[in-house]
Every structure is written in C-alpha cells, then in structure tokens.
C-alpha cells in the first residue's frame, strides 16, 4: 500500500508519505473488499443510535460522527458540545489515506501569557476555570464542516436530524449528567450563570436522572447551522451570544466577534510510527497522540522476553513515565513552538531513552533528542504547569465501506466554563495552557499565546497491520490520563492477549511524574498495586478512573467493539446496507 505503514515513521503530508508517494518499502495493497458491515461505539445510547441511523442508510463514518456528536452536545453536555472543540482522525478506505482534522479551540487575539496570574501567583484554579478568560473560540462546528466537505455522503442538513429531533421532542437525562450537576453546583457557577442556571436547575433544582428535557434553543441553533452552514455559528446572533457570555463578569474574557469569524478548523499531518509489524497512526501536536507510538516502543525496550504479567505492567509503567516526561516538556501548539516530533519518535532516540529511567519513586525527567541524535540543540523551555480536569468524550466508528473515524471532543472541565449561549455551554479550554507565568524564566512550550491552540492529551488513534489493513480504532477522554488509557488498549489487545472488552475493562494505570496511579476498583488492580509498590513505585490506589474508551477492533471474522463500563455508552453494528 502507498503508505508504507509498516516500516517507516511517516509524517503524513509533511514528509510526503501520503497519496501517490513512490514506495521504497511498500507492503501489498489492502484491496480485499470490505465485508464487515458497520459499527459505532459512543458514550451515550442516543448518540450511538444517531450514528447508526446514518450508517444504516449508507452514510460515511464522518456523517455518523457528526450526527453522534451533535446528539452528545445535547445529552452529554458535561463532556462536549458545540461550545467546545476536538479532534477527528479519519481513514478513507478507498484512497487508503488518513487525515487529522483539528477543531481545537483557539485563544482569542487578546489572550495574554499572564492572564491566569494574580499578584505574581497563578490564580485559584476554580476561579480561572469558571472565568470568561477560560473560553476559547469553539471549534466543533468548523470541524464538522471541514470533515463533511471532505468525506460526507449524506446531505449536510441530514446529519443534524437526530439531534434536532431529540432536542425538540425531549431526551432522558442520564445518571452521569445528573450526578455531575449535583457534584458541580457547590464548586462551580453552573447553577448561577444566566441560561445555564435556568436550563440545568429549573426551579432551583438540578435536572434529575430519568427526567425528560427539551432544549429548543439547541434545536434552533442546529437548524440554523444545518440551513446556513458554519457562518450561522461564527457570525450573527449565535456568535454574538457566545461573545457576550464569554465577556461577562466574573473575569470576563477578551473573545470578540472577530475571533469567532477568523476561526478555522485545520487539516494537520498524521503521524504513523512502526511498532513490531504494525503501524500506529495518530494525531500530531497540539494533540499528544504521538505518545501512542512512544509508549509501545519504549515498552518493547523495557519488557524482558517471556515476561510475567507483573513484568509487563512494570514495563508499561516505565514506558509511560518516560513518554509523559517528554510530552509534558516538548508539546504545544506546533504553529507557535517547534515540537521535535521526529526526534522524539526516532527509533534510535527511543532505544536510548528507554535506558534513562531514574529510580521508581523519582520524578521522571525529559530527554533530549538533539543530544542523542545530533543536530541543532533545542531552545530552552520552561517547566510544564498544565492541569487538566474531566469533561470530554471519545467515539469510534467504522462505516460499511471500511472508512473509520476516531474522534475525541471536549469542553475541557465538566460543563466547560459553566457559561451558556444559544442552547449549549462554552468551553474552558484556555485553562489547558500552562497557566503559570514567570517573566524571568523561559516560556513553557504550552504557554498562553494569542491565537494559539492549547496542548491536548486527546489522542484519537488507529492501528494498521502489515498489509495496511485497519486493525484498531481507539481513544478516550480523561485529561492527562488519556495517553495512558489509550495505550492500555493497544498493549492489552496486541501484547497482553486481551479481547477488546477485556482491554477496555482492564484496570487503568497512569504513571506520570513521581507517582503511579492504579485503579483498584477493577480486577486485578489491587494485585497490580501491591506488586508495583513492592517494586518501589509510589503507588496511589484509586477506586475508579475517568476513562471513556470506545474501541473497535477488526478481526478476520468481523468487527468487535467495546464501550467503557465506566461511562454510559454502547456499541451498535449492522450489515452493509
Ligand atoms: O484536551 C485535553 O486534553 C483536555 N481538555 C481533555 C479533558 C478531558 O479529557 C477530561 N475528561 N474526562
């Protein structure tokens, strides 16, 4: 196949590894006709049903993705929606091509590097999170359009049908949404801000699980976007409502109508890296997708032959510690900071890096690809101080022609900034930047810069076999833990012999900084915690984790999918229509 997925580290588009590139090490074309039907796994059954409705009428995976996400913005507003942004990795089976579409929120032109500082100290996190300064230009609607223009098979207006119907006829509030509202009200402004308070707390009481709720403002917004396209969102009354909400006290932001009108979703390079005979393809910065290539390769350098389960888990922990330290130090908006991606993924660097681990309880420090590989030294970067909270969703879709979407969408914290406009909440993605500013120190890679996109942990990923055939579609929400959650599914399925559902259910283990968090509420988490502690790691036992892994695996006999039991989603599938 044209992509030479198996053998080359390939920065798609940038390095010319995409279409029509003569191939030094080509693998056979993946030409067998697709015979596996379609499948969607999404975090909420109403949204999965919307995807299924599109797929059953022959829609492209992208049509299903937009339909599902428009529903998620209604039924799972704590996680994502029109007021937020996200990433979409799209596989085009016929062209054997992949694209990474970036609909990440963008800092307003008036954003400042010290906007989350107060008296030379970072302001309290809750204050920053609930402020208007936290609101970035929402990217979801522009992302829908970019994806639909490239791949959509069904009419643009059709994909909004299920969400408009549910917003008008009513949907059932889930336990997760009701529980998040209840837990959030004492700390956030969700029960105070105009619009949000009336919608989520009618009569002063939080929406209860099982209640039927209508959202006519959301239906109206979607109808306008369906009829007029993204200009109905980025200009005119909807944009004015977003700007007014972001500029309102307390700590109003600088978001303007000009920022809204200037927003563009971007097609960025995909990065593919070899791992054993497979190729792992994922999103480039500002996403942290490249960790999905770093972790399995570092793992292979650490795991002994014939390893026991305990040794495999230890190698997974070590690989994460190294990869997180590099990610934390180097990753930011690639349009604002030079991210040394090729160096970090270079096999020689990874082999060297795997031997640089300190003691288990020490904080892992970043490596230096330039020093290992030669070449220009990298400019100094300040320490990373980024903090991420829950409020994101992931879905995976394969359509009846074998096209696939892996998409992670977010409003950042639960219900974003708690600010409301035109039927949805606004994101707080600006707090995904490093918020600490020290004038005398070098700027961190992920510093707030006007017009920049904050670094993200969201890692929509696909794995391909030697022949270029699609093997896995994976990804998760979970803030900084996303790279660990997602890599667990790749190693779980490809190395630990787990089925897709077993890999999703397997205890999450997150090794960043000087600690290793182990999910003891899922078996065999308690055992793993004990053995890691005995090895000297600073183990933090956690009853539950916030993953939302929605994964599809292609087997010889068909598609197998899993929805994360830690969230509320499901898997639907069907034959080729
Ligand atoms: O882009 C990011 O990395 C974060 N805004 C994602 C936050 C998140 O996943 C919270 N999840 N539950």
């Amino acid at each position: 196949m044209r992509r030479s997925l198996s053998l080359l580290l390939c920065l798609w588009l940038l390095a010319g590894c995409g279409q029509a590139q003569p191939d030094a090490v080509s693998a056979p074309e993946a030409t067998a006709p697709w015979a596996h039907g379609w499948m969607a796994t999404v975090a909420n059954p109403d949204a999965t049903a919307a995807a299924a409705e599109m797929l059953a009428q022959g829609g492209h995976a992208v049509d299903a993705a937009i339909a599902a996400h428009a529903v998620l913005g209604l039924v799972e507003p704590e996680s994502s929606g029109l007021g937020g942004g996200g990433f979409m990795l799209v596989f085009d089976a016929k062209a054997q091509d992949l694209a990474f579409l970036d609909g990440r929120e963008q800092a307003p032109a008036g954003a400042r590097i010290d906007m989350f500082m107060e008296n030379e100290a970072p302001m309290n996190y809750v204050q920053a999170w609930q402020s208007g300064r936290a609101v970035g230009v929402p990217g979801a609607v522009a992302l829908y359009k970019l994806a639909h223009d490239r791949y959509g098979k069904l009419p643009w207006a059709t994909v909004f049908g299920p969400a408009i119907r549910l917003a008008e006829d009513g949907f059932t509030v889930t336990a997760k949404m009701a529980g998040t509202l209840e837990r959030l009200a004492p700390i956030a402004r969700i029960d105070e801000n105009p619009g949000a308070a009336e919608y989520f707390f009618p009569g002063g009481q939080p929406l209860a699980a099982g209640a039927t709720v209508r959202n006519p403002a959301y239906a109206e917004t979607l109808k306008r976007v369906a009829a007029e396209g993204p200009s109905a969102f980025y200009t005119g009354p909807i944009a004015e409502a977003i700007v007014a909400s972001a500029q309102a006290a307390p700590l109003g932001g600088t978001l303007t109508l000009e920022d809204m009108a200037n927003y563009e979703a971007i097609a960025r390079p995909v990065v593919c890296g070899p791992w054993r005979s497979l190729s792992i393809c994922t999103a480039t910065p500002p996403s942290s997708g490249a960790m999905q290539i770093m972790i399995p390769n570092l793992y292979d350098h650490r795991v002994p032959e014939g390893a026991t389960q305990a040794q495999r888990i230890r190698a997974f922990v070590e690989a994460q510690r190294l990869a997180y330290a590099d990610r934390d130090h180097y990753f930011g908006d690639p349009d604002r900071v030079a991210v040394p991606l090729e160096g970090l993924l270079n096999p020689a660097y990874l082999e060297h890096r795997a031997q640089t681990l300190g003691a288990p309880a020490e904080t892992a420090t970043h490596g230096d690809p330039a020093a290992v590989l030669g070449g220009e030294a990298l400019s100094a970067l300040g320490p990373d101080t980024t903090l991420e909270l829950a409020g994101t969703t992931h879905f995976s879709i394969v359509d009846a022609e074998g096209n696939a979407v892996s998409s992670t969408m977010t409003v950042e914290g639960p219900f974003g900034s708690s600010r409301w406009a035109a039927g949805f909440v606004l994101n707080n993605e600006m707090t995904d930047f490093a918020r600490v500013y020290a004038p005398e120190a070098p700027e961190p890679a992920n510093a707030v810069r006007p017009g920049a996109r904050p670094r993200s942990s969201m890692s929509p990923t696909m794995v391909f076999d030697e022949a270029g055939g699609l093997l896995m579609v994976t990804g998760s929400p979970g803030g900084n833990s996303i790279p660990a959650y997602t890599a667990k599914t790749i190693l779980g399925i490809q190395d630990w012999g787990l089925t897709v559902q077993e890999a999703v259910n397997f205890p999450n283990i997150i090794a960043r900084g000087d600690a290793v968090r182990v999910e003891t509420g899922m078996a065999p988490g308690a055992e793993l915690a004990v053995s890691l502690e005995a090895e000297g790691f600073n183990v933090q036992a956690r009853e539950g984790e916030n993953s939302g892994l929605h994964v599809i695996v292609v087997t010889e006999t068909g598609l197998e999918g899993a929805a994360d039991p830690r969230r509320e989603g499901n898997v639907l599938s069907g034959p080729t229509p």
Side-chain angles (χ1 to χ4, degrees):
M1 90 184 282
R2 279 177 292 224
R3 283 177 288 123
S4 327
L5 285 174
S6 52
L7 295 172
L8 290 178
L9 164 67
C10 176
L11 268 179
W12 221 298
L13 308 181
L14 262 193
C17 320
Q19 299 258 25
Q21 181 68 12
D23 222 355
V25 275
S26 60
E29 292 273 339
T31 48
W34 187 256
H36 295 325
W38 55 263
M39 181 173 275
T41 173
V42 192
N44 176 287
D46 286 333
T48 322
E53 189 178 321
M54 301 298 122
L55 295 166
Q57 55 184 295
H60 191 282
V62 157
D63 295 319
I66 302 169
H69 188 254
V71 170
L72 287 172
L74 177 71
V75 301
E76 198 199 28
E78 67 276 22
S79 295
S80 74
L82 301 190
F87 299 141
M88 202 185 271
L89 189 66
V90 187
F91 175 57
D92 179 331
K94 198 156 164 220
Q96 286 284 289
D97 201 14
L98 265 174
F100 165 37
L101 308 181
D102 167 356
R104 185 71 167 159
E105 298 89 334
Q106 193 167 14
R112 292 291 169 259
I113 194 161
D114 61 353
M115 73 182 184
F116 293 118
M117 298 293 288
E118 217 178 32
N119 305 325
E120 294 176 20
M123 68 177 64
N124 157 291
Y125 179 73
V126 174
Q127 201 186 349
W129 161 34
Q130 297 293 299
S131 74
R133 293 181 196 179
V135 181
V137 187
V141 173
L143 175 64
Y144 293 170
K145 189 70 168 101
L146 179 63
H148 191 266
D149 282 352
R150 286 181 160 219
Y151 304 101
K153 276 171 69 187
L154 300 176
W156 168 251
T158 302
V159 300
F160 297 103
I164 294 170
R165 219 166 49 218
L166 267 176
E168 285 183 335
D169 297 350
F171 66 94
T172 306
V173 173
T174 69
K176 172 168 165 277
M177 176 172 162
T180 312
L181 281 172
E182 243 185 88
R183 283 194 302 276
L184 205 64
I187 48 171
R189 299 181 49 85
I190 188 78
D191 54 343
E192 293 167 54
N193 282 340
E198 293 84 64
Y199 178 72
F200 293 114
F201 293 80
Q205 291 307 308
L207 290 175
T212 301
V213 171
R214 290 176 185 77
N215 186 343
Y218 190 70
E220 191 50 38
T221 292
L222 286 182
K223 281 183 182 170
R224 295 206 50 187
V225 169
E228 298 163 42
S231 63
F233 185 88
Y234 288 99
T235 60
I238 298 173
E240 283 161 19
I242 292 171
V243 165
S245 179
Q247 288 186 357
L251 285 177
T254 60
L255 186 72
T256 62
L257 283 173
E258 208 179 349
D259 292 319
M260 290 292 294
N262 287 340
Y263 184 84
E264 281 180 11
I266 302 172
R268 293 192 186 275
V270 173
V271 63
C272 294
W275 179 54
R276 302 181 182 171
S277 65
L278 309 180
S279 186
I280 299 175
C281 293
T282 186
T284 45
S287 158
S288 300
M291 285 181 72
Q292 299 310 310
I293 302 169
M294 295 155 84
I295 292 173
N297 279 289
L298 290 164
Y299 171 88
D300 275 2
H301 289 301
R302 301 288 317 176
V303 75
E305 203 139 321
T308 60
Q309 185 190 51
Q311 287 170 318
R312 285 168 204 254
I313 296 300
R314 178 176 178 143
F316 178 42
V317 161
E318 292 170 337
Q320 281 190 50
R321 279 160 58 72
L322 294 164
Y324 266 116
D326 279 358
R327 189 293 297 259
D328 289 354
H329 188 69
Y330 290 113
F331 280 40
D333 182 343
D335 298 334
R336 305 301 160 120
V337 70
V339 183
L341 199 57
E342 285 187 61
L344 290 168
L345 295 176
N346 183 302
Y349 172 71
L350 289 167
E351 190 177 351
H352 176 273
R353 179 80 176 121
Q355 309 314 322
T356 59
L357 257 184
E362 264 173 27
T363 299
T365 52
H366 66 87
D368 185 349
V372 176
L373 303 170
E376 220 173 291
L378 301 162
S379 56
L381 292 168
D384 180 52
T385 55
T386 314
L387 179 75
E388 294 180 27
L389 271 193
T392 301
T393 201
H394 179 88
F395 46 93
S396 295
I397 298 171
V398 176
D399 72 21
E401 290 176 345
N403 305 304
V405 164
S406 176
S407 179
T408 318
M409 303 292 294
T410 185
V411 284
E412 189 3 50
F415 295 100
S417 63
S418 302
R419 286 160 190 256
W420 179 262
F424 51 88
V425 292
L426 300 182
N427 69 84
N428 65 300
E429 218 69 49
M430 297 303 95
T431 60
D432 263 6
F433 283 115
R435 290 176 296 114
V436 179
Y437 174 60
E440 68 290 350
E443 290 176 12
N446 189 33
V448 186
R449 298 179 177 98
R453 298 179 184 213
R455 183 187 77 205
S456 176
S457 294
M458 300 188 294
S459 304
T461 298
M462 296 187 197
V463 182
F464 294 83
D465 66 20
E466 246 172 319
L470 180 66
L471 266 188
M472 264 183 87
V473 185
T474 186
S476 181
N480 266 319
S481 307
I482 291 171
Y485 296 159
T486 305
K488 175 195 73 172
T489 64
I490 297 177
L491 288 174
I493 293 166
Q494 307 298 340
D495 192 73
W496 304 342
L498 304 178
T499 65
V500 59
Q501 190 68 61
E502 286 167 350
V504 164
N505 293 4
F506 196 82
N508 285 304
I509 299 168
I510 306 96
R512 181 169 179 250
D514 66 353
V516 182
R517 237 167 55 220
V518 181
E519 187 180 25
T520 50
M522 295 298 238
E527 269 167 54
L528 299 178
V530 169
S531 79
L532 286 167
E533 199 147 38
E535 303 256 16
F537 289 99
N538 175 12
V539 170
Q540 296 174 353
R542 283 267 286 257
E543 179 60 22
E545 278 291 332
N546 194 21
S547 60
L549 289 153
H550 293 94
V551 185
I552 298 175
V553 168
V554 185
T555 71
E556 273 170 23
T557 51
L559 300 174
E560 285 174 16
D564 199 324
R566 301 162 187 90
R567 299 226 172 180
E568 297 174 322
N570 64 334
V571 184
L572 289 176
S573 60
T576 301

